[in-house]
Amino acid sequence: MAIYVQLPLVEEEKPSIPAHLPLDETFPEKEANALAEKEVYNRHLYRPNTYLHKWWARRSGTLFRFILKGFVVEESRRDFYAPGGLEGRVVLDPMMGGGTTLHEAIRLGANVIGVDIDPIPVIQARATLTFRSLQAKQETFYTAWNTLRNNLISWYQTRCPICDERAEIQFVLHARRRRCACGIALFVDTLLLLDASSSSEKIWLCSNCGDVYRGEHLCTPQQPQIFPRLRTKEETRCGRCGQKYEDVVTEPFWKRYHPVALRGMCQKGHDFFKRPDTFDADLLRAAEQIVQERLDWGPDEEWHIPEGPKSRDLHRYGITSFLELFTPRQCLYLDAARKLIPALPAEDRPWFALLVSTSLEFNTLLAGYKGQSIRRPGAVRHVFAHHAYTIPYTALENNPVFPHPRSGTLLRLFRDRVERGTRWAMRPIERRFKEGKVQKIPVEGELDAGVEVTRWEELAAGQRRFLIIQADASRLNFPEGIADFVVTDPPYYDSVQYSDLSHFFRVWLRRLLPQAADWHYDPLLSAVSERGMRDAQKYAKALSGIWKNVARALKRPHGRLVFTFHHWRPEAWAALTVSLREAGFSLINCYVVLSENPVSVHIQGLKALKHDAILVLAPPGTPVSGRTWKPFSSLPFHESAAFVRACGETVGWLLQTDEVPTDQIWTYWEQLVEAS
């Protein structure tokens, strides 16, 4: 029997908030940086309840906890490790994205409002903030998983090469087909399938005959018409004809690959690699026939990959439909999940559908193989490891219902994303440095969960209530004075992941949860610049509309807008400055904190900023007793933190001065950068 716990809507008297807040005056940059530096390497371990589904540009949860603690009136509860402190306050995030603000604020007892134009953040926020006992989630998952497994297990059968007993496929490795004048050749990242402590135990693919072997190997080279030549990605030209290899782009994407090895486990416990045989090939053809004859995915245009800066990487390979990124077996898995979800308890459908959507990163032919290491055998390189679409040479077709928690399986993802997150939500844990070591500190009395409400007036009292809205925050009619604080992380100016890469998930979530969100929204309304200066104006206009709206929503005189921002480009800072000036905000203070993992694959080797400015602003009509800002003659490009701080303080000066008219702010920033 499922256990349900009713979270109380607590009514308690709250202390009045002074017009001057602790965050106006000071922020523990050193302490925040020390914790953020650890968290950026493993954010999913520090805040597991927010990592149910993929979202980009998440900021440090510890950082936003420090920010929110700067609003706490009672000094005894202002300590980072003290529970609560914002009971009954209302915190608004008009661009909630991954939901960091909402989760951190609700832990402190606040009531929260989350707004986003994209349906994925909306569904994820509801799924992760709604309390559901771990036992209830486990019962739903294992019932659903068994149903899926019973429907799909026959498509992942093979024979064990050791004992010839029935076995189950864990994953299949596919080689990329390329062409020269001699014909088709198959390309992989490497011929090494599994490294080992001794050379005799390493597992290899033979480039001549295609066999899987370890130790000494004698082979009889196959004729190309029987087995195409096997090459590694370093070989760009054919050694026979001298022609440069080219991709095969006239077939659907999944047909541009050829299975060359599979890993499985038999009933006797043998864990093996083998070369696919005729039984395996027949099974794949049977799955293809079922998909073609029985599955109806709706009109082709609904699966079209739209134009976008990141999607160009698919279009230039002739990939135009999201459906072609999945093998027939993967399509059967997604069809089974689509039919199963309506039968689940209503409160479990969102998180289960998001879990299936999350599994797409590991269950598509865009996923690669990085499991050669004996320390991480069989590991899957997920689709967005580089924050972009990449076409793998060795593509990995996973078995999502494999009965062991291996990389990318539903079982593993449930344990990592749902079980771990739910346990953490019921007893959040922070880290603390003591004598050079990191300690785990449970914050007793906090919950990363709440009760959803549907009306503005329900936020006026109580604690841990949340209102989630899918909308353009610049057009939303916020009640005047509804929020004590607005804390957010605006889109990264020219970051394209939000409206482009997310299509990969949206086309499936739309079918898994058709009634859960508005799937026909206009993604071009998002506040992201994608085409240079022309869109800088769009970015400024979108943010200006949002700032004007939240200015009306903020209470006076203690209401504050706080957000993080960084960028190298002058037009990004110019657009931000213009938007804040048009909305009438004044900068009270500016702090600088670490934001990015310096070895993240999407920024490694680039001149990437690793710090964020925290801007603390007062809405129009609020007396400001903060710092007086001064202009810079040049910007310190040599160092990330110094550059971001100088840019933040320049925003403050431009908001308080009349020397630079609004229409000249763009030129001012360009000249400031040129002078640097």
Side-chain angles (χ1 to χ4, degrees):
M1 176 181 294
I3 298 176
Y4 300 89
V5 178
Q6 177 64 47
L7 296 179
L9 294 179
V10 179
E11 305 287 345
E12 69 175 49
E13 187 176 349
K14 48 193 176 186
S16 60
I17 303 178
H20 193 67
L21 298 166
L23 188 62
D24 295 348
E25 193 68 34
T26 183
F27 182 82
E29 289 184 358
K30 183 177 178 180
E31 292 85 351
N33 276 330
L35 287 176
E37 186 175 13
K38 294 292 183 181
E39 184 182 344
V40 293
Y41 284 89
N42 289 292
R43 286 194 175 102
H44 63 289
L45 299 180
Y46 276 65
R47 296 293 191 272
N49 194 38
T50 65
Y51 278 80
L52 174 57
H53 194 275
K54 176 73 176 178
W55 197 251
W56 289 268
R58 296 176 189 264
R59 286 297 176 250
S60 163
T62 55
L63 167 60
F64 276 71
R65 182 177 177 88
F66 273 115
I67 290 172
L68 291 162
K69 279 290 186 178
F71 297 140
V72 175
V73 174
E74 301 163 272
E75 188 172 354
S76 62
R77 306 185 71 187
R78 208 173 293 154
D79 180 75
F80 184 84
Y81 302 98
L86 292 182
E87 287 79 6
R89 307 301 178 193
V90 176
V91 177
L92 162 64
D93 188 343
M95 297 169 279
M96 65 181 178
T100 300
T101 295
L102 305 190
H103 285 274
E104 298 305 316
I106 214 165
R107 283 180 55 193
L108 298 184
N111 297 328
V112 299
I113 305 167
V115 183
D116 207 288
I117 195 170
D118 193 297
I120 296 177
V122 169
I123 296 172
Q124 178 168 229
R126 286 199 175 107
T128 53
L129 289 173
T130 299
F131 179 79
R132 181 86 161 128
S133 75
L134 180 58
Q135 180 182 341
K137 289 180 177 179
Q138 288 171 331
E139 289 180 0
T140 293
F141 174 77
Y142 286 106
T143 298
W145 182 80
N146 282 318
T147 300
L148 287 174
R149 182 165 168 78
N150 290 336
N151 287 337
L152 298 168
I153 188 173
S154 62
W155 297 110
Y156 294 96
Q157 297 298 300
T158 189
R159 305 297 297 185
C160 176
I162 301 170
C163 64
D164 201 38
E165 292 288 336
R166 179 187 300 176
E168 185 171 350
I169 296 169
Q170 179 187 339
F171 59 77
V172 180
L173 298 180
H174 297 253
R176 186 163 148 190
R177 297 168 63 223
R178 308 192 79 193
R179 186 189 303 275
C180 68
C182 302
I184 294 292
L186 303 179
F187 283 79
V188 291
D189 290 294
T190 174
L191 296 171
L192 181 64
L193 294 178
L194 185 65
D195 208 340
S197 55
S198 66
S199 59
S200 62
E201 291 299 309
K202 293 182 179 181
I203 301 176
W204 299 86
L205 274 171
C206 177
S207 61
N208 289 319
C209 67
D211 276 348
V212 175
Y213 70 93
R214 68 177 73 203
E216 295 295 327
H217 174 63
L218 296 176
C219 73
T220 302
Q222 299 290 322
Q223 296 297 320
Q225 62 268 29
I226 299 175
F227 180 77
R229 295 159 291 156
L230 193 57
R231 300 288 182 260
T232 59
K233 62 183 180 182
E234 289 80 13
E235 300 179 63
T236 58
R237 289 186 180 275
C238 176
R240 297 176 183 174
C241 67
Q243 190 178 89
K244 188 175 180 179
Y245 290 110
E246 296 181 350
D247 284 291
V248 178
V249 297
T250 56
E251 299 179 83
F253 178 71
W254 74 270
K255 285 192 172 185
R256 303 177 196 179
Y257 285 86
H258 186 87
V260 291
L262 63 82
R263 186 169 191 172
M265 181 179 290
C266 76
Q267 296 174 336
K268 293 184 177 180
H270 296 132
D271 194 352
F272 58 85
F273 277 95
K274 63 174 267 191
R275 177 182 178 177
D277 53 30
T278 55
F279 175 85
D280 302 310
D282 291 342
L283 196 63
L284 188 59
R285 281 192 290 269
E288 180 183 2
Q289 186 173 358
I290 292 292
V291 169
Q292 290 177 344
E293 294 178 356
R294 301 184 189 178
L295 297 193
D296 180 12
W297 296 109
D300 291 343
E301 56 268 23
E302 292 185 358
W303 296 94
H304 179 72
I305 299 171
E307 292 289 338
K310 296 291 186 179
S311 296
R312 293 192 196 108
D313 294 331
L314 298 179
H315 290 159
R316 66 191 180 95
Y317 283 99
I319 304 168
T320 60
S321 170
F322 285 109
L323 277 177
E324 63 180 297
L325 300 176
F326 300 87
T327 70
R329 273 189 291 235
Q330 291 165 341
C331 288
L332 290 172
Y333 157 60
L334 289 163
D335 184 61
R338 174 181 64 166
K339 294 174 180 175
L340 170 68
I341 287 172
L344 301 180
E347 53 268 61
D348 291 319
R349 293 171 198 163
W351 67 257
F352 188 84
L354 287 167
L355 190 68
V356 172
S357 180
T358 288
S359 76
L360 298 183
E361 279 199 271
F362 305 88
N363 290 277
T364 166
L365 278 189
L366 289 177
Y369 180 55
K370 63 173 184 178
Q372 294 91 350
S373 172
I374 197 68
R375 293 176 299 176
R376 299 187 65 195
V380 184
R381 178 176 289 105
H382 63 85
V383 175
F384 298 118
H386 296 276
H387 286 203
Y389 289 113
T390 56
I391 310 299
Y393 284 91
T394 305
L396 187 148
E397 180 189 11
N398 220 348
N399 174 0
V401 293
F402 195 65
H404 303 280
R406 303 291 170 80
S407 180
T409 62
L410 267 183
L411 193 59
R412 173 68 173 272
L413 290 169
F414 175 72
R415 293 181 181 180
D416 287 351
R417 307 292 180 98
V418 179
E419 284 188 330
R420 179 188 292 167
T422 303
R423 288 191 179 98
W424 188 91
M426 295 299 101
R427 192 170 185 251
I429 294 174
E430 297 295 344
R431 270 71 168 177
R432 179 166 61 192
F433 294 102
K434 188 174 182 180
E435 298 177 354
K437 296 182 179 180
V438 179
Q439 294 180 329
K440 293 184 178 180
I441 308 296
V443 184
E444 304 294 348
E446 286 192 354
L447 295 171
D448 186 13
V451 175
E452 185 171 12
V453 299
T454 57
R455 295 178 299 167
W456 300 106
E457 54 266 30
E458 293 179 274
L459 298 166
Q463 61 180 267
R464 295 195 178 96
R465 305 178 181 189
F466 63 90
L467 176 63
I468 306 297
I469 303 170
Q470 182 188 356
D472 174 1
S474 68
R475 303 180 182 184
L476 192 59
N477 186 25
F478 293 109
E480 186 172 349
I482 186 69
D484 293 284
F485 313 109
V486 175
V487 182
T488 190
D489 177 39
Y492 182 67
Y493 179 62
D494 54 359
S495 176
V496 299
Q497 294 98 335
Y498 307 93
S499 58
D500 192 4
L501 295 182
S502 294
H503 284 298
F504 176 83
F505 299 109
R506 280 195 292 263
V507 293
W508 290 105
L509 277 170
R510 177 182 172 186
R511 284 152 180 84
L512 299 176
L513 293 172
Q515 306 302 321
D518 175 13
W519 299 105
H520 300 285
Y521 81 106
D522 183 2
L524 295 179
L525 292 176
S526 61
V528 179
S529 172
E530 297 178 359
R531 302 179 186 89
M533 192 62 187
R534 181 164 56 90
D535 278 304
Q537 304 287 349
K538 170 203 168 187
Y539 185 69
K541 182 179 180 180
L543 282 185
S544 176
I546 293 172
W547 301 146
K548 289 176 182 178
N549 240 355
V550 301
R552 186 180 71 252
L554 279 169
K555 293 179 181 177
R556 306 293 198 277
H558 66 264
R560 295 290 183 269
L561 165 63
V562 183
F563 61 87
T564 57
F565 192 81
H566 75 244
H567 211 287
W568 279 119
R569 296 173 63 180
E571 60 265 33
W573 288 100
L576 179 68
T577 308
V578 168
S579 69
L580 290 168
R581 181 185 278 191
E582 289 181 347
F585 279 93
S586 301
L587 186 69
I588 297 176
N589 218 326
C590 171
Y591 309 105
V592 174
V593 291
L594 187 71
S595 64
E596 288 281 3
N597 178 353
V599 297
S600 292
V601 292
H602 68 288
I603 66 170
Q604 196 171 10
L606 303 176
K607 188 183 178 183
L609 290 171
K610 298 182 287 292
H611 294 81
D612 267 338
I614 301 175
L615 303 180
V616 182
L617 301 112
T622 303
V624 177
S625 57
R627 295 171 53 181
T628 299
W629 307 103
K630 297 180 180 179
F632 283 79
S633 58
S634 63
L635 298 173
F637 273 94
H638 62 282
E639 202 273 321
S640 173
F643 175 80
V644 169
R645 191 182 302 277
C647 288
E649 294 183 5
T650 298
V651 170
W653 179 74
L654 287 168
L655 293 180
Q656 74 179 18
T657 186
D658 294 327
E659 294 181 27
V660 182
T662 299
D663 61 356
Q664 294 181 22
I665 286 177
W666 307 93
T667 303
Y668 179 86
W669 274 100
E670 289 179 1
Q671 292 174 344
L672 183 60
V673 170
E674 289 174 2
S676 305

